[in-house]
mmCIF file with all atom_site columns, all heavy atoms in Angstrom:
data_model
loop_
_atom_site.group_PDB
_atom_site.id
_atom_site.type_symbol
_atom_site.label_atom_id
_atom_site.label_alt_id
_atom_site.label_comp_id
_atom_site.label_asym_id
_atom_site.label_entity_id
_atom_site.label_seq_id
_atom_site.pdbx_PDB_ins_code
_atom_site.Cartn_x
_atom_site.Cartn_y
_atom_site.Cartn_z
_atom_site.occupancy
_atom_site.B_iso_or_equiv
_atom_site.pdbx_formal_charge
_atom_site.auth_seq_id
_atom_site.auth_comp_id
_atom_site.auth_asym_id
_atom_site.auth_atom_id
_atom_site.pdbx_PDB_model_num
ATOM 1   N N   . GLY W 1 28  ? 36.462 19.126 -116.461 1.00 0.00 ? 28  GLY W N   1
ATOM 2   C CA  . GLY W 1 28  ? 36.003 19.890 -117.592 1.00 0.00 ? 28  GLY W CA  1
ATOM 3   C C   . GLY W 1 28  ? 34.563 19.770 -117.972 1.00 0.00 ? 28  GLY W C   1
ATOM 4   O O   . GLY W 1 28  ? 34.121 20.162 -119.062 1.00 0.00 ? 28  GLY W O   1
ATOM 5   N N   . ARG W 1 44  ? 43.142 21.510 -117.112 1.00 0.00 ? 44  ARG W N   1
ATOM 6   C CA  . ARG W 1 44  ? 42.557 20.756 -115.986 1.00 0.00 ? 44  ARG W CA  1
ATOM 7   C C   . ARG W 1 44  ? 43.530 20.639 -114.817 1.00 0.00 ? 44  ARG W C   1
ATOM 8   O O   . ARG W 1 44  ? 44.756 20.686 -115.046 1.00 0.00 ? 44  ARG W O   1
ATOM 9   C CB  . ARG W 1 44  ? 42.202 19.284 -116.433 1.00 0.00 ? 44  ARG W CB  1
ATOM 10  C CG  . ARG W 1 44  ? 41.066 19.256 -117.497 1.00 0.00 ? 44  ARG W CG  1
ATOM 11  C CD  . ARG W 1 44  ? 40.704 17.846 -117.731 1.00 0.00 ? 44  ARG W CD  1
ATOM 12  N NE  . ARG W 1 44  ? 39.596 17.796 -118.810 1.00 0.00 ? 44  ARG W NE  1
ATOM 13  C CZ  . ARG W 1 44  ? 39.021 16.733 -119.236 1.00 0.00 ? 44  ARG W CZ  1
ATOM 14  N NH1 . ARG W 1 44  ? 39.530 15.511 -118.739 1.00 0.00 ? 44  ARG W NH1 1
ATOM 15  N NH2 . ARG W 1 44  ? 38.085 16.717 -120.199 1.00 0.00 ? 44  ARG W NH2 1
ATOM 16  N N   . CYS W 1 50  ? 45.650 18.376 -107.169 1.00 0.00 ? 50  CYS W N   1
ATOM 17  C CA  . CYS W 1 50  ? 44.508 18.287 -106.272 1.00 0.00 ? 50  CYS W CA  1
ATOM 18  C C   . CYS W 1 50  ? 44.849 17.843 -104.916 1.00 0.00 ? 50  CYS W C   1
ATOM 19  O O   . CYS W 1 50  ? 44.332 18.445 -103.938 1.00 0.00 ? 50  CYS W O   1
ATOM 20  C CB  . CYS W 1 50  ? 43.482 17.445 -106.980 1.00 0.00 ? 50  CYS W CB  1
ATOM 21  S SG  . CYS W 1 50  ? 41.958 17.242 -105.982 1.00 0.00 ? 50  CYS W SG  1
ATOM 22  N N   . GLY W 1 84  ? 20.226 36.530 -78.374  1.00 0.00 ? 84  GLY W N   1
ATOM 23  C CA  . GLY W 1 84  ? 18.769 36.532 -78.087  1.00 0.00 ? 84  GLY W CA  1
ATOM 24  C C   . GLY W 1 84  ? 17.932 37.094 -79.214  1.00 0.00 ? 84  GLY W C   1
ATOM 25  O O   . GLY W 1 84  ? 17.822 36.602 -80.325  1.00 0.00 ? 84  GLY W O   1
ATOM 26  N N   . ILE W 1 92  ? 21.651 45.549 -88.802  1.00 0.00 ? 92  ILE W N   1
ATOM 27  C CA  . ILE W 1 92  ? 22.370 44.501 -89.609  1.00 0.00 ? 92  ILE W CA  1
ATOM 28  C C   . ILE W 1 92  ? 23.084 45.354 -90.660  1.00 0.00 ? 92  ILE W C   1
ATOM 29  O O   . ILE W 1 92  ? 24.283 45.103 -91.069  1.00 0.00 ? 92  ILE W O   1
ATOM 30  C CB  . ILE W 1 92  ? 21.465 43.558 -90.195  1.00 0.00 ? 92  ILE W CB  1
ATOM 31  C CG1 . ILE W 1 92  ? 20.958 42.517 -89.100  1.00 0.00 ? 92  ILE W CG1 1
ATOM 32  C CG2 . ILE W 1 92  ? 22.123 42.643 -91.300  1.00 0.00 ? 92  ILE W CG2 1
ATOM 33  C CD1 . ILE W 1 92  ? 19.939 41.647 -89.599  1.00 0.00 ? 92  ILE W CD1 1
ATOM 34  N N   . ARG W 1 112 ? 49.105 43.618 -98.779  1.00 0.00 ? 112 ARG W N   1
ATOM 35  C CA  . ARG W 1 112 ? 50.212 44.365 -99.465  1.00 0.00 ? 112 ARG W CA  1
ATOM 36  C C   . ARG W 1 112 ? 51.561 44.251 -98.812  1.00 0.00 ? 112 ARG W C   1
ATOM 37  O O   . ARG W 1 112 ? 52.585 44.113 -99.498  1.00 0.00 ? 112 ARG W O   1
ATOM 38  C CB  . ARG W 1 112 ? 49.824 45.823 -99.602  1.00 0.00 ? 112 ARG W CB  1
ATOM 39  C CG  . ARG W 1 112 ? 50.766 46.607 -100.543 1.00 0.00 ? 112 ARG W CG  1
ATOM 40  C CD  . ARG W 1 112 ? 50.365 48.017 -100.809 1.00 0.00 ? 112 ARG W CD  1
ATOM 41  N NE  . ARG W 1 112 ? 51.268 48.660 -101.641 1.00 0.00 ? 112 ARG W NE  1
ATOM 42  C CZ  . ARG W 1 112 ? 51.194 49.991 -102.065 1.00 0.00 ? 112 ARG W CZ  1
ATOM 43  N NH1 . ARG W 1 112 ? 50.089 50.667 -101.630 1.00 0.00 ? 112 ARG W NH1 1
ATOM 44  N NH2 . ARG W 1 112 ? 52.122 50.481 -102.860 1.00 0.00 ? 112 ARG W NH2 1
ATOM 45  N N   . ARG W 1 129 ? 51.167 30.592 -106.282 1.00 0.00 ? 129 ARG W N   1
ATOM 46  C CA  . ARG W 1 129 ? 51.521 29.472 -107.102 1.00 0.00 ? 129 ARG W CA  1
ATOM 47  C C   . ARG W 1 129 ? 50.475 29.333 -108.152 1.00 0.00 ? 129 ARG W C   1
ATOM 48  O O   . ARG W 1 129 ? 50.686 28.962 -109.316 1.00 0.00 ? 129 ARG W O   1
ATOM 49  C CB  . ARG W 1 129 ? 51.723 28.274 -106.395 1.00 0.00 ? 129 ARG W CB  1
ATOM 50  C CG  . ARG W 1 129 ? 51.721 26.955 -107.145 1.00 0.00 ? 129 ARG W CG  1
ATOM 51  C CD  . ARG W 1 129 ? 51.779 25.726 -106.430 1.00 0.00 ? 129 ARG W CD  1
ATOM 52  N NE  . ARG W 1 129 ? 51.612 24.533 -107.283 1.00 0.00 ? 129 ARG W NE  1
ATOM 53  C CZ  . ARG W 1 129 ? 51.571 23.318 -106.802 1.00 0.00 ? 129 ARG W CZ  1
ATOM 54  N NH1 . ARG W 1 129 ? 51.535 23.003 -105.579 1.00 0.00 ? 129 ARG W NH1 1
ATOM 55  N NH2 . ARG W 1 129 ? 51.396 22.281 -107.750 1.00 0.00 ? 129 ARG W NH2 1
ATOM 56  N N   . ALA W 1 132 ? 46.572 31.351 -112.396 1.00 0.00 ? 132 ALA W N   1
ATOM 57  C CA  . ALA W 1 132 ? 45.258 31.213 -112.744 1.00 0.00 ? 132 ALA W CA  1
ATOM 58  C C   . ALA W 1 132 ? 44.433 30.487 -111.646 1.00 0.00 ? 132 ALA W C   1
ATOM 59  O O   . ALA W 1 132 ? 44.561 29.237 -111.659 1.00 0.00 ? 132 ALA W O   1
ATOM 60  C CB  . ALA W 1 132 ? 45.111 30.494 -114.141 1.00 0.00 ? 132 ALA W CB  1
ATOM 61  N N   . VAL W 1 149 ? 45.668 37.384 -92.934  1.00 0.00 ? 149 VAL W N   1
ATOM 62  C CA  . VAL W 1 149 ? 45.070 37.940 -94.160  1.00 0.00 ? 149 VAL W CA  1
ATOM 63  C C   . VAL W 1 149 ? 43.692 37.310 -94.412  1.00 0.00 ? 149 VAL W C   1
ATOM 64  O O   . VAL W 1 149 ? 42.782 38.082 -94.844  1.00 0.00 ? 149 VAL W O   1
ATOM 65  C CB  . VAL W 1 149 ? 46.009 37.675 -95.444  1.00 0.00 ? 149 VAL W CB  1
ATOM 66  C CG1 . VAL W 1 149 ? 45.438 38.301 -96.616  1.00 0.00 ? 149 VAL W CG1 1
ATOM 67  C CG2 . VAL W 1 149 ? 47.457 38.273 -95.132  1.00 0.00 ? 149 VAL W CG2 1
ATOM 68  N N   . ASN W 1 162 ? 30.441 44.077 -81.916  1.00 0.00 ? 162 ASN W N   1
ATOM 69  C CA  . ASN W 1 162 ? 29.774 43.199 -80.872  1.00 0.00 ? 162 ASN W CA  1
ATOM 70  C C   . ASN W 1 162 ? 28.371 42.705 -81.569  1.00 0.00 ? 162 ASN W C   1
ATOM 71  O O   . ASN W 1 162 ? 27.316 42.837 -81.020  1.00 0.00 ? 162 ASN W O   1
ATOM 72  C CB  . ASN W 1 162 ? 29.430 43.933 -79.535  1.00 0.00 ? 162 ASN W CB  1
ATOM 73  C CG  . ASN W 1 162 ? 29.251 42.910 -78.443  1.00 0.00 ? 162 ASN W CG  1
ATOM 74  O OD1 . ASN W 1 162 ? 29.659 41.794 -78.519  1.00 0.00 ? 162 ASN W OD1 1
ATOM 75  N ND2 . ASN W 1 162 ? 28.475 43.350 -77.572  1.00 0.00 ? 162 ASN W ND2 1
ATOM 76  N N   . GLY W 1 173 ? 29.366 33.290 -93.915  1.00 0.00 ? 173 GLY W N   1
ATOM 77  C CA  . GLY W 1 173 ? 28.928 32.519 -95.064  1.00 0.00 ? 173 GLY W CA  1
ATOM 78  C C   . GLY W 1 173 ? 29.194 33.312 -96.391  1.00 0.00 ? 173 GLY W C   1
ATOM 79  O O   . GLY W 1 173 ? 29.516 32.699 -97.388  1.00 0.00 ? 173 GLY W O   1
ATOM 80  N N   . TYR W 1 199 ? 42.528 39.414 -111.643 1.00 0.00 ? 199 TYR W N   1
ATOM 81  C CA  . TYR W 1 199 ? 43.609 40.289 -112.169 1.00 0.00 ? 199 TYR W CA  1
ATOM 82  C C   . TYR W 1 199 ? 44.756 40.436 -111.241 1.00 0.00 ? 199 TYR W C   1
ATOM 83  O O   . TYR W 1 199 ? 45.920 40.510 -111.758 1.00 0.00 ? 199 TYR W O   1
ATOM 84  C CB  . TYR W 1 199 ? 43.010 41.691 -112.570 1.00 0.00 ? 199 TYR W CB  1
ATOM 85  C CG  . TYR W 1 199 ? 43.809 42.598 -113.451 1.00 0.00 ? 199 TYR W CG  1
ATOM 86  C CD1 . TYR W 1 199 ? 43.894 42.382 -114.844 1.00 0.00 ? 199 TYR W CD1 1
ATOM 87  C CD2 . TYR W 1 199 ? 44.690 43.586 -112.939 1.00 0.00 ? 199 TYR W CD2 1
ATOM 88  C CE1 . TYR W 1 199 ? 44.690 43.140 -115.555 1.00 0.00 ? 199 TYR W CE1 1
ATOM 89  C CE2 . TYR W 1 199 ? 45.490 44.277 -113.641 1.00 0.00 ? 199 TYR W CE2 1
ATOM 90  C CZ  . TYR W 1 199 ? 45.515 44.156 -115.048 1.00 0.00 ? 199 TYR W CZ  1
ATOM 91  O OH  . TYR W 1 199 ? 46.284 44.954 -115.876 1.00 0.00 ? 199 TYR W OH  1
ATOM 92  N N   . PHE W 1 204 ? 49.894 40.270 -110.167 1.00 0.00 ? 204 PHE W N   1
ATOM 93  C CA  . PHE W 1 204 ? 50.745 40.305 -108.890 1.00 0.00 ? 204 PHE W CA  1
ATOM 94  C C   . PHE W 1 204 ? 50.782 41.662 -108.134 1.00 0.00 ? 204 PHE W C   1
ATOM 95  O O   . PHE W 1 204 ? 50.744 41.786 -106.957 1.00 0.00 ? 204 PHE W O   1
ATOM 96  C CB  . PHE W 1 204 ? 52.137 39.850 -109.086 1.00 0.00 ? 204 PHE W CB  1
ATOM 97  C CG  . PHE W 1 204 ? 52.206 38.331 -109.467 1.00 0.00 ? 204 PHE W CG  1
ATOM 98  C CD1 . PHE W 1 204 ? 52.363 38.042 -110.764 1.00 0.00 ? 204 PHE W CD1 1
ATOM 99  C CD2 . PHE W 1 204 ? 52.055 37.344 -108.533 1.00 0.00 ? 204 PHE W CD2 1
ATOM 100 C CE1 . PHE W 1 204 ? 52.445 36.657 -111.146 1.00 0.00 ? 204 PHE W CE1 1
ATOM 101 C CE2 . PHE W 1 204 ? 52.116 36.021 -108.877 1.00 0.00 ? 204 PHE W CE2 1
ATOM 102 C CZ  . PHE W 1 204 ? 52.309 35.666 -110.203 1.00 0.00 ? 204 PHE W CZ  1
ATOM 103 N N   . LEU W 1 214 ? 40.884 51.252 -101.101 1.00 0.00 ? 214 LEU W N   1
ATOM 104 C CA  . LEU W 1 214 ? 42.260 51.625 -100.821 1.00 0.00 ? 214 LEU W CA  1
ATOM 105 C C   . LEU W 1 214 ? 43.172 51.466 -102.071 1.00 0.00 ? 214 LEU W C   1
ATOM 106 O O   . LEU W 1 214 ? 44.247 52.188 -102.139 1.00 0.00 ? 214 LEU W O   1
ATOM 107 C CB  . LEU W 1 214 ? 42.811 50.817 -99.688  1.00 0.00 ? 214 LEU W CB  1
ATOM 108 C CG  . LEU W 1 214 ? 42.179 51.189 -98.309  1.00 0.00 ? 214 LEU W CG  1
ATOM 109 C CD1 . LEU W 1 214 ? 42.499 50.196 -97.234  1.00 0.00 ? 214 LEU W CD1 1
ATOM 110 C CD2 . LEU W 1 214 ? 42.717 52.598 -97.941  1.00 0.00 ? 214 LEU W CD2 1
ATOM 111 N N   . LYS W 1 226 ? 43.111 50.390 -116.900 1.00 0.00 ? 226 LYS W N   1
ATOM 112 C CA  . LYS W 1 226 ? 43.402 50.593 -118.329 1.00 0.00 ? 226 LYS W CA  1
ATOM 113 C C   . LYS W 1 226 ? 43.263 49.210 -119.078 1.00 0.00 ? 226 LYS W C   1
ATOM 114 O O   . LYS W 1 226 ? 43.401 49.132 -120.317 1.00 0.00 ? 226 LYS W O   1
ATOM 115 C CB  . LYS W 1 226 ? 44.817 50.979 -118.526 1.00 0.00 ? 226 LYS W CB  1
ATOM 116 C CG  . LYS W 1 226 ? 45.242 52.312 -117.882 1.00 0.00 ? 226 LYS W CG  1
ATOM 117 C CD  . LYS W 1 226 ? 46.746 52.677 -117.916 1.00 0.00 ? 226 LYS W CD  1
ATOM 118 C CE  . LYS W 1 226 ? 47.076 53.855 -117.204 1.00 0.00 ? 226 LYS W CE  1
ATOM 119 N NZ  . LYS W 1 226 ? 48.559 54.143 -117.216 1.00 0.00 ? 226 LYS W NZ  1
ATOM 120 N N   . ARG W 1 232 ? 35.208 44.539 -118.154 1.00 0.00 ? 232 ARG W N   1
ATOM 121 C CA  . ARG W 1 232 ? 34.456 43.249 -117.895 1.00 0.00 ? 232 ARG W CA  1
ATOM 122 C C   . ARG W 1 232 ? 34.087 43.092 -116.451 1.00 0.00 ? 232 ARG W C   1
ATOM 123 O O   . ARG W 1 232 ? 33.359 42.196 -116.080 1.00 0.00 ? 232 ARG W O   1
ATOM 124 C CB  . ARG W 1 232 ? 35.286 42.043 -118.356 1.00 0.00 ? 232 ARG W CB  1
ATOM 125 C CG  . ARG W 1 232 ? 35.599 41.868 -119.857 1.00 0.00 ? 232 ARG W CG  1
ATOM 126 C CD  . ARG W 1 232 ? 36.618 40.924 -120.136 1.00 0.00 ? 232 ARG W CD  1
ATOM 127 N NE  . ARG W 1 232 ? 36.938 40.773 -121.567 1.00 0.00 ? 232 ARG W NE  1
ATOM 128 C CZ  . ARG W 1 232 ? 37.896 39.998 -122.082 1.00 0.00 ? 232 ARG W CZ  1
ATOM 129 N NH1 . ARG W 1 232 ? 38.713 39.244 -121.274 1.00 0.00 ? 232 ARG W NH1 1
ATOM 130 N NH2 . ARG W 1 232 ? 38.083 39.970 -123.322 1.00 0.00 ? 232 ARG W NH2 1
ATOM 131 N N   . PHE W 1 236 ? 26.690 40.833 -115.525 1.00 0.00 ? 236 PHE W N   1
ATOM 132 C CA  . PHE W 1 236 ? 26.111 40.751 -116.870 1.00 0.00 ? 236 PHE W CA  1
ATOM 133 C C   . PHE W 1 236 ? 24.991 39.704 -116.816 1.00 0.00 ? 236 PHE W C   1
ATOM 134 O O   . PHE W 1 236 ? 25.047 38.793 -116.092 1.00 0.00 ? 236 PHE W O   1
ATOM 135 C CB  . PHE W 1 236 ? 27.134 40.544 -117.894 1.00 0.00 ? 236 PHE W CB  1
ATOM 136 C CG  . PHE W 1 236 ? 27.647 39.172 -117.987 1.00 0.00 ? 236 PHE W CG  1
ATOM 137 C CD1 . PHE W 1 236 ? 27.286 38.177 -118.857 1.00 0.00 ? 236 PHE W CD1 1
ATOM 138 C CD2 . PHE W 1 236 ? 28.667 38.842 -117.031 1.00 0.00 ? 236 PHE W CD2 1
ATOM 139 C CE1 . PHE W 1 236 ? 27.822 36.942 -118.981 1.00 0.00 ? 236 PHE W CE1 1
ATOM 140 C CE2 . PHE W 1 236 ? 29.263 37.566 -117.015 1.00 0.00 ? 236 PHE W CE2 1
ATOM 141 C CZ  . PHE W 1 236 ? 28.838 36.580 -118.002 1.00 0.00 ? 236 PHE W CZ  1
ATOM 142 N N   . GLN W 1 244 ? 33.252 37.775 -124.700 1.00 0.00 ? 244 GLN W N   1
ATOM 143 C CA  . GLN W 1 244 ? 32.785 38.008 -126.002 1.00 0.00 ? 244 GLN W CA  1
ATOM 144 C C   . GLN W 1 244 ? 31.910 39.247 -126.083 1.00 0.00 ? 244 GLN W C   1
ATOM 145 O O   . GLN W 1 244 ? 31.971 39.925 -127.184 1.00 0.00 ? 244 GLN W O   1
ATOM 146 C CB  . GLN W 1 244 ? 31.913 36.836 -126.422 1.00 0.00 ? 244 GLN W CB  1
ATOM 147 C CG  . GLN W 1 244 ? 32.636 35.499 -126.623 1.00 0.00 ? 244 GLN W CG  1
ATOM 148 C CD  . GLN W 1 244 ? 31.814 34.338 -127.095 1.00 0.00 ? 244 GLN W CD  1
ATOM 149 O OE1 . GLN W 1 244 ? 30.668 34.468 -127.515 1.00 0.00 ? 244 GLN W OE1 1
ATOM 150 N NE2 . GLN W 1 244 ? 32.415 33.110 -126.940 1.00 0.00 ? 244 GLN W NE2 1
ATOM 151 N N   . ASN W 1 253 ? 43.792 42.702 -132.672 1.00 0.00 ? 253 ASN W N   1
ATOM 152 C CA  . ASN W 1 253 ? 44.706 43.357 -133.549 1.00 0.00 ? 253 ASN W CA  1
ATOM 153 C C   . ASN W 1 253 ? 45.935 42.721 -133.776 1.00 0.00 ? 253 ASN W C   1
ATOM 154 O O   . ASN W 1 253 ? 46.561 42.590 -134.864 1.00 0.00 ? 253 ASN W O   1
ATOM 155 C CB  . ASN W 1 253 ? 44.940 44.806 -133.082 1.00 0.00 ? 253 ASN W CB  1
ATOM 156 C CG  . ASN W 1 253 ? 43.734 45.738 -133.214 1.00 0.00 ? 253 ASN W CG  1
ATOM 157 O OD1 . ASN W 1 253 ? 42.800 45.447 -134.020 1.00 0.00 ? 253 ASN W OD1 1
ATOM 158 N ND2 . ASN W 1 253 ? 43.554 46.781 -132.368 1.00 0.00 ? 253 ASN W ND2 1
#
Side-chain angles (χ1 to χ4, degrees):
R44 294 184 183 181
C50 179
I92 293 175
R112 190 171 180 184
R129 171 187 172 183
V149 181
N162 199 27
Y199 192 80
F204 295 98
L214 288 173
K226 300 174 185 177
R232 298 170 178 171
F236 69 105
Q244 293 180 13
N253 292 334

